[in-house]
């Protein structure tokens, strides 16, 4: 197991390790780690009383698994709300762009809405597990405990996830990173067509977060719905053992291979 998803090289540069490896191309990164890295860097520029409330990430092509650099710039500075943008650049090409809204925290409101009651934490090895996960970097870097569905099972899926390693070597992983490393997996978890025969490509992912998890575990309840003209939407509801965390949405390009 690599020591982290990324090794810091200084001056905004990072070396992705095998933990970022895509299941479809060993030379490319899965979308989850780049999403978490860009959000983490943006979050480091926000004030102490600001919390990331939404991040939208656009994947502009395959994300190579070699040295990248990250640049951040403000879009709409503000005291109560702010919008920032981060770019992941490989060589001379921008491969991922993320925009994140931060909202200032404040006193608790008198009501918070209906509580989401998460499923019980499953036992290790719960649910079907594809044998090829043993050789897939991103798959091995996360512990998956299914509450329904599973790898190789088509349709809706529920799974408890625990990221096993830090996002960046030498830094303690945050609750935000734990959430976003797995958020881009909604489509893969809940595919309704066999991926060996059908492409299901999310060019972008949006995560809207009410809060971050209090501990190591994040549950994803994922489902996918397809239209009759080659598009679809993957959606996941996120929670921790206490309550609701947020929502994930991915539009999909669906084509037969």
């Amino acid at each position: 197991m690599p020591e982290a998803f990324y090794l810091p090289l200084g001056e905004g540069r990072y070396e992705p390790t095998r933990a970022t490896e895509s299941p479809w191309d060993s030379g490319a990164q899965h979308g989850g780690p780049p999403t978490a890295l860009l959000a983490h860097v943006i979050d480091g520029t926000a004030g102490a009383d600001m919390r990331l409330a939404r991040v939208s990430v656009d994947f502009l092509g395959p994300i190579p698994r070699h040295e990248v650099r990250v640049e951040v710039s403000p879009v709409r500075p503000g005291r109560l709300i702010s919008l920032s943008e981060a770019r992941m650049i490989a060589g001379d090409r921008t491969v991922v762009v993320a925009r994140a809204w931060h909202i200032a925290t404040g006193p608790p409101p008198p009501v918070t809405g209906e509580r989401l009651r998460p499923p019980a934490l499953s036992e290790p090895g719960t649910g079907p597990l594809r044998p090829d996960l043993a050789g897939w970097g991103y798959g091995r870097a996360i512990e998956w405990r299914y509450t329904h569905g599973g790898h190789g099972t088509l349709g809706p899926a529920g799974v408890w996830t625990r990221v096993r390693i830090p996002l960046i070597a030498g830094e303690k992983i945050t609750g935000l990173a734990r959430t976003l490393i797995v958020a881009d997996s909604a489509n893969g978890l809940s595919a309704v067509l066999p991926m060996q025969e059908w492409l299901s490509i999310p060019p972008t992912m949006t995560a809207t977060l009410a809060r971050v998890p209090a501990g190591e575990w994040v549950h994803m309840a994922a489902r996918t719905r397809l239209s009759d003209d080659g598009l679809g939407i993957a959606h996941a509801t996120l929670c921790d053992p206490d309550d609701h965390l947020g929502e994930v949405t991915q539009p999909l390009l669906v084509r037969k291979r």
Side-chain angles (χ1 to χ4, degrees):
M1 187 75 64
E3 63 175 305
F5 289 92
Y6 294 98
L7 306 178
L9 303 176
E11 299 180 341
R13 297 176 299 119
Y14 299 88
E15 181 72 31
T17 70
R18 195 182 176 195
T20 67
E21 181 185 14
S22 164
W24 304 113
D25 181 356
S26 63
Q29 299 185 55
H30 185 279
T35 295
L37 180 63
L38 294 182
H40 174 78
V41 175
I42 291 176
D43 203 46
T45 67
D49 60 343
M50 303 284 279
R51 188 165 71 238
L52 189 145
R54 193 211 72 177
V55 61
S56 182
V57 184
D58 299 320
F59 306 109
L60 306 183
I63 310 167
R65 195 159 59 85
H66 57 68
E67 183 183 321
V68 296
R69 73 180 190 275
V70 176
E71 298 177 352
V72 181
S73 56
V75 177
R76 193 276 192 199
R79 183 174 58 85
L80 296 179
I81 57 173
S82 67
L83 175 65
S84 300
E85 180 178 282
R87 297 164 296 283
M88 177 176 283
I89 302 165
D92 59 357
R93 181 170 68 94
T94 300
V95 291
V96 188
V97 176
R99 281 195 163 196
W101 282 99
H102 278 79
I103 298 177
T105 57
V111 296
T112 57
E114 182 180 0
R115 182 181 175 187
L116 188 155
R117 300 191 180 278
L121 180 63
S122 313
E123 293 298 318
T126 305
L129 193 64
R130 284 203 322 249
D132 61 342
L133 279 180
W136 169 28
Y138 174 81
R140 291 186 62 232
I142 299 164
E143 183 175 356
W144 311 87
R145 296 194 189 182
Y146 285 89
T147 54
H148 64 276
H151 285 289
T153 301
L154 299 178
V159 60
W160 282 106
T161 67
R162 183 180 69 87
V163 179
R164 300 178 190 268
I165 57 177
L167 175 64
I168 301 170
E171 297 186 19
K172 184 178 179 180
I173 191 169
T174 65
L176 177 64
R178 288 188 180 280
T179 304
L180 295 180
I181 285 170
V182 300
D184 191 54
S185 297
N187 169 47
L189 291 170
S190 63
V192 295
L193 293 170
M195 289 191 172
Q196 294 78 9
E197 302 173 26
W198 289 84
L199 291 171
S200 182
I201 301 173
T204 183
M205 187 278 295
T206 299
T208 305
L209 304 176
R211 62 187 185 90
V212 294
E216 294 185 319
W217 292 94
V218 173
H219 186 268
M220 298 183 68
R223 58 190 180 275
T224 294
R225 295 183 175 90
L226 306 183
S227 66
D228 59 4
D229 60 354
L231 279 74
I233 295 177
H235 177 270
T237 296
L238 307 173
C239 68
D240 66 3
D242 293 330
D243 205 347
H244 178 255
L245 296 176
E247 308 291 328
V248 174
T249 307
Q250 300 168 294
L252 304 174
L253 166 72
V254 181
R255 295 290 189 275
K256 193 166 181 64
R257 291 183 180 274

